[in-house]
Amino acid sequence: MIIHQLKGLDDSLWRMLNKKDIRLEIQVKMRIAQILAKQSETKLTKAKKLVVRELEEVESKGNFVAYVDEGGESYDVNIQLDKDDIVGHSCDCGRRDTYCIHQIAILLMLSTNTENPLTAKKNANSAIGKKVKASEQLLLTLEQEALASWLLELFKSNKDIELQFLLKFGKNQKEYQSADVDKILKDAVTSVVGKRKKIEASEVKKIVQLWEKALEPFWEYLALNIGNEKIIDLFSAVYQAVLDLEYKLFYTGTRFRKFIETGNSKIAGIIAHVDSDIQWAALTNSYWDKMWAEDNAQGGMLELFIQIYESSSIERKRLLADKIEDLITSLLEGHYYMSVAVDGFFLDVLLENNMFDNSADYFVPRQWEAKYNLKLIEAIRDHDPNKAIDYCNRVIAGNVNSTYNDPFLEILEDIYADSGDFSKLASIKMEKFSSAPNIVDYVFIMDHSNDEELKKKFRTRTLSMLRNNMGYAGSDELYFRILEYEKNYKKMLEVIDYRVRPSVLLKFWKYLYAHDKLRFLRAIAANVQIDYRTDPSALEQLILKITDNYESDVIKILFKPDAWSSHQRTFKAMVYSRLDSLK
């Protein structure tokens, strides 16, 4: 097959490879011959080995410019002739010879009528201009048979190159069958990895690139034949073939899936551009019927149908929503439910088209599907709050990890708040309190819960939690606010330890000072410590409070630094030294 492809290439390709755009027709000048005769044999030999490119006569007759390649460098050479005389010559190589080897190479070419086989057309648009790859130069000199023979050998060990050659120069297929799509995709995989099951990421990338190139005419075929309902089989053929290959091959990545998503977007775009509503309806109806066939891979068909829906106009979306509503009615009669993926899409469509209420009875919570359940309950709470409460409780009861309950507890909290059922609202606040503890919710719980035993357990559990977490910012203040709510100032004095921040002591100063000011000062002197959490401004304010509200003799007794800490920056030392500075 490849031999026929090579032999059958359009003659224009070979003409392109061998075409000479610059033809020199210059008479031999005696002056040039004289100059060449004066050059050494070594210089002439070197000049003959150089490559002269893009020799052109520019601006005026006899003014020749060209590029001359020497190794990896290329030089700009100019020769100006006036009849038999050379009236000017230059080269940017910088050599001081009267005629450098690059200029001699040009003179050698001008001295003969034969065409230089290595001269190539100058590419005016090239950013580099001077450089021509050695491979390009060599390609221009090869005969067709030599090139064909080399390609045949290359194809034996490089199947992906062979496939790309076929895709580029082979005749495009005019009609596709599902088997054709399957073969195209599988051949691309085989050309890259052979029979191996485990493939590398770089190979996956190459496979997908081959698929994209191979299916270009396929997408064109679909676009031209979109009105034919038989092409629906081709829609699913791409998905099924890629899915089969994904299951058979071992790799990590998402390139295959993204390829499917891109393909679905193309198909959906083609369908969206069908102008005739009758033709569009016939096509989508046929696709809809096939999607629910027993032998169909529903996942792939659904993904494409979602793309078709999202690409449709508002009016056409409504037609598809009607089909979904009719299907749901039959599913309800048979007490049958679709997968979460299908029902999630159905729910989105009905909500978008304001058609949820008539089909609400079909949708039920699904275990461990938080996103779907939240969307469903949010949709149903206005339609039927009691059912929303029931669904929330069902989801909460099924969750193993209590942290997953928070969004559903918030819904219950809103519903009970709207209905004015404060007792149940208090129970919900109690359940979610540990995730976001605050004094407002605590007070509400204690004021509105009707279960005294439950309230007692809740208080004990909360105070224990806060006492254990006193070192964390916020826990000490909330602990004190709860004790303030209870007017339990004695307990507040008892729990002051090194973890209580100076800023918290300042906030509750008036209560503790009024309750037992001497015991309060002893607690401060014994427990306040300076660490990374300490706010300098709060520390300064606390010192001022002490010096303004207590006698200096009492302060000296309680804040006299210990021997081991007298030379350290301790709170006791700071207060004590402040007394000395006030004298």
Side-chain angles (χ1 to χ4, degrees):
M1 179 179 179
I2 298 300
I3 294 176
H4 291 308
Q5 289 283 352
L6 289 171
K7 289 182 177 180
L9 284 176
D10 195 306
D11 290 340
S12 63
L13 175 63
W14 299 108
R15 286 200 302 272
M16 178 187 72
L17 296 177
N18 293 286
K19 185 176 181 181
K20 311 297 188 298
D21 295 309
I22 304 172
R23 299 186 179 280
L24 304 177
E25 297 178 356
I26 304 173
Q27 296 178 353
V28 178
K29 303 294 183 180
M30 183 63 70
R31 181 61 178 156
I32 294 176
Q34 291 174 351
I35 293 173
L36 292 175
K38 294 180 181 180
Q39 307 303 317
S40 67
E41 190 64 31
T42 301
K43 192 177 254 190
L44 290 171
T45 301
K46 290 181 178 180
K48 289 176 182 178
K49 292 181 179 179
L50 300 179
V51 176
V52 178
R53 297 187 289 106
E54 303 178 27
L55 180 59
E56 294 182 304
E57 190 174 15
V58 297
E59 296 181 358
S60 62
K61 187 172 179 61
N63 186 22
F64 294 93
V65 295
Y67 296 121
V68 178
D69 296 335
E70 180 184 6
E73 301 295 329
S74 186
Y75 301 99
D76 194 346
V77 184
N78 175 228
I79 301 291
Q80 298 180 45
L81 302 177
D82 183 9
K83 297 182 180 179
D84 291 341
D85 294 328
I86 297 177
V87 295
H89 57 92
S90 65
C91 178
D92 62 1
C93 68
R95 296 176 186 173
R96 296 183 178 181
D97 306 28
T98 304
Y99 289 96
C100 66
I101 59 174
H102 311 113
Q103 296 168 342
I104 292 172
I106 299 295
L107 294 174
L108 284 169
M109 179 170 289
L110 295 175
S111 69
T112 176
N113 287 325
T114 58
E115 297 180 56
N116 186 341
L118 295 179
T119 301
K121 182 178 180 181
K122 184 175 181 180
N123 183 0
N125 295 323
S126 172
I128 300 176
K130 291 185 178 182
K131 302 296 181 183
V132 171
K133 294 181 180 178
S135 59
E136 296 175 8
Q137 298 172 6
L138 182 59
L139 183 63
L140 295 173
T141 66
L142 290 177
E143 297 294 334
Q144 177 178 349
E145 291 184 2
L147 181 59
S149 177
W150 181 82
L151 285 173
L152 289 172
E153 289 299 317
L154 178 66
F155 293 158
K156 291 179 181 179
S157 57
N158 294 273
K159 294 299 182 182
D160 58 327
I161 296 178
E162 179 183 14
L163 181 60
Q164 291 190 53
F165 177 82
L166 288 170
L167 294 173
K168 177 66 178 176
F169 298 107
K171 292 182 179 179
N172 289 338
Q173 211 168 341
K174 299 222 173 148
E175 187 171 351
Y176 286 88
Q177 303 294 331
S178 297
D180 299 326
V181 177
D182 185 71
K183 186 176 186 305
I184 289 171
L185 298 177
K186 288 182 178 178
D187 284 351
V189 175
T190 303
S191 72
V192 176
V193 300
K195 296 182 179 181
R196 282 189 291 114
K197 299 297 183 184
K198 187 175 182 179
I199 57 178
E200 304 296 331
S202 59
E203 293 173 326
V204 174
K205 181 179 179 181
K206 187 180 291 186
I207 288 170
V208 172
Q209 288 173 340
L210 286 174
W211 283 351
E212 290 170 348
K213 187 172 184 62
L215 289 183
E216 284 178 3
F218 171 75
W219 300 125
E220 294 175 4
Y221 173 80
L222 288 185
L224 292 172
N225 295 273
I226 193 64
N228 186 347
E229 295 174 17
K230 292 182 180 179
I231 67 168
I232 292 171
D233 291 333
L234 298 177
F235 291 177
S236 59
V238 174
Y239 174 85
Q240 194 57 53
V242 175
L243 193 65
D244 289 345
L245 290 167
E246 188 177 37
Y247 285 148
K248 291 177 182 177
L249 301 172
F250 299 98
Y251 85 103
T252 56
T254 59
R255 286 187 181 274
F256 284 1
R257 287 287 172 176
K258 288 181 179 178
F259 174 79
I260 291 174
E261 291 172 6
T262 302
N264 285 342
S265 296
K266 289 180 179 179
I267 296 170
I270 293 170
I271 294 175
H273 284 87
V274 175
D275 293 329
S276 170
D277 288 337
I278 296 176
Q279 189 180 59
W280 178 87
L283 186 64
T284 52
N285 287 342
S286 181
Y287 186 81
W288 175 265
D289 293 340
K290 182 174 177 61
M291 188 162 66
W292 309 117
E294 292 182 2
D295 59 344
N296 174 52
Q298 190 183 93
M301 298 291 283
L302 176 68
E303 290 171 9
L304 177 52
F305 192 80
I306 292 173
Q307 292 272 10
I308 292 172
Y309 175 82
E310 292 176 348
S311 302
S312 298
S313 64
I314 295 175
E315 294 76 12
R316 289 178 174 180
K317 281 184 175 181
R318 180 71 187 201
L319 293 174
L320 295 176
D322 288 338
K323 298 180 75 64
I324 291 174
E325 189 175 50
D326 292 341
L327 177 61
I328 287 177
T329 299
S330 63
L331 292 173
L332 271 172
E333 292 174 355
H335 302 286
Y336 183 80
Y337 293 94
M338 293 291 188
S339 66
V340 174
V342 174
D343 281 354
F345 171 60
F346 286 177
L347 179 59
D348 288 338
V349 171
L350 295 178
L351 288 173
E352 182 178 351
N353 291 274
N354 297 316
M355 299 168 61
F356 173 74
D357 290 355
N358 293 336
S359 302
D361 291 341
Y362 167 76
F363 297 96
V364 294
R366 303 295 184 92
Q367 191 170 21
W368 304 315
E369 295 292 343
K371 186 177 180 180
Y372 169 81
N373 292 335
L374 277 172
K375 186 181 295 184
L376 169 60
I377 295 170
E378 286 288 359
I380 212 168
R381 59 182 291 183
D382 294 331
H383 171 76
D384 189 344
N386 290 329
K387 182 176 285 188
I389 292 171
D390 176 53
Y391 283 1
C392 282
N393 289 328
R394 286 166 63 176
V395 171
I396 292 170
N399 283 339
V400 177
N401 190 332
S402 61
T403 58
Y404 300 148
N405 296 336
D406 289 348
F408 301 97
L409 291 171
E410 289 176 4
I411 293 175
L412 290 174
E413 192 173 17
D414 290 342
I415 293 174
Y416 290 137
D418 291 341
S419 66
D421 193 338
F422 294 152
S423 176
K424 289 183 178 178
L425 179 57
S427 66
I428 297 301
K429 286 184 177 292
M430 189 182 296
E431 192 166 349
K432 65 191 288 283
F433 185 82
S434 60
S435 62
N438 62 87
I439 189 61
V440 175
D441 285 346
Y442 182 87
V443 172
F444 185 91
I445 291 166
M446 301 306 290
D447 288 349
H448 293 93
S449 176
N450 296 327
D451 190 331
E452 294 300 325
E453 186 65 26
L454 191 62
K455 279 201 299 185
K456 184 178 179 180
K457 290 180 179 179
F458 169 71
R459 178 188 179 278
T460 302
R461 184 172 65 250
T462 300
L463 291 178
S464 176
M465 175 191 71
L466 294 174
R467 183 70 184 273
N468 291 334
N469 293 288
M470 195 79 84
Y472 297 96
S475 293
D476 52 355
E477 182 176 346
L478 180 56
Y479 190 97
F480 274 49
R481 290 207 177 280
I482 291 174
L483 294 178
E484 178 197 349
Y485 163 72
E486 298 175 348
K487 309 299 182 186
N488 194 349
Y489 305 118
K490 179 181 178 182
K491 182 68 174 180
M492 202 181 292
L493 284 170
E494 290 176 358
V495 299
I496 293 176
D497 62 17
Y498 69 94
R499 297 173 297 173
V500 179
R501 295 168 295 163
S503 60
V504 174
L505 296 175
L506 286 168
K507 288 178 181 179
F508 297 93
W509 176 282
K510 65 178 182 179
Y511 304 111
L512 297 172
Y513 184 83
H515 180 73
D516 191 335
K517 66 178 185 179
L518 187 57
R519 188 176 179 186
F520 181 35
L521 188 62
R522 286 197 186 100
I524 293 174
N527 294 291
V528 173
Q529 293 186 7
I530 302 172
D531 58 23
Y532 68 94
R533 302 181 307 152
T534 306
D535 180 0
S537 62
L539 201 65
E540 178 63 24
Q541 290 179 50
L542 184 60
I543 294 173
L544 289 175
K545 278 280 190 182
I546 293 170
T547 56
D548 289 346
N549 289 278
Y550 289 93
E551 296 178 358
S552 60
D553 291 342
V554 175
I555 297 174
K556 282 183 178 180
I557 294 171
L558 295 177
F559 286 86
K560 183 178 181 180
D562 301 316
W564 64 270
S565 64
S566 59
H567 300 292
Q568 298 180 23
R569 187 174 177 272
T570 64
F571 183 67
K572 275 187 174 184
M574 291 178 67
V575 175
Y576 198 85
S577 63
R578 180 63 58 87
L579 285 178
D580 290 340
S581 66
L582 293 175
K583 289 180 180 179

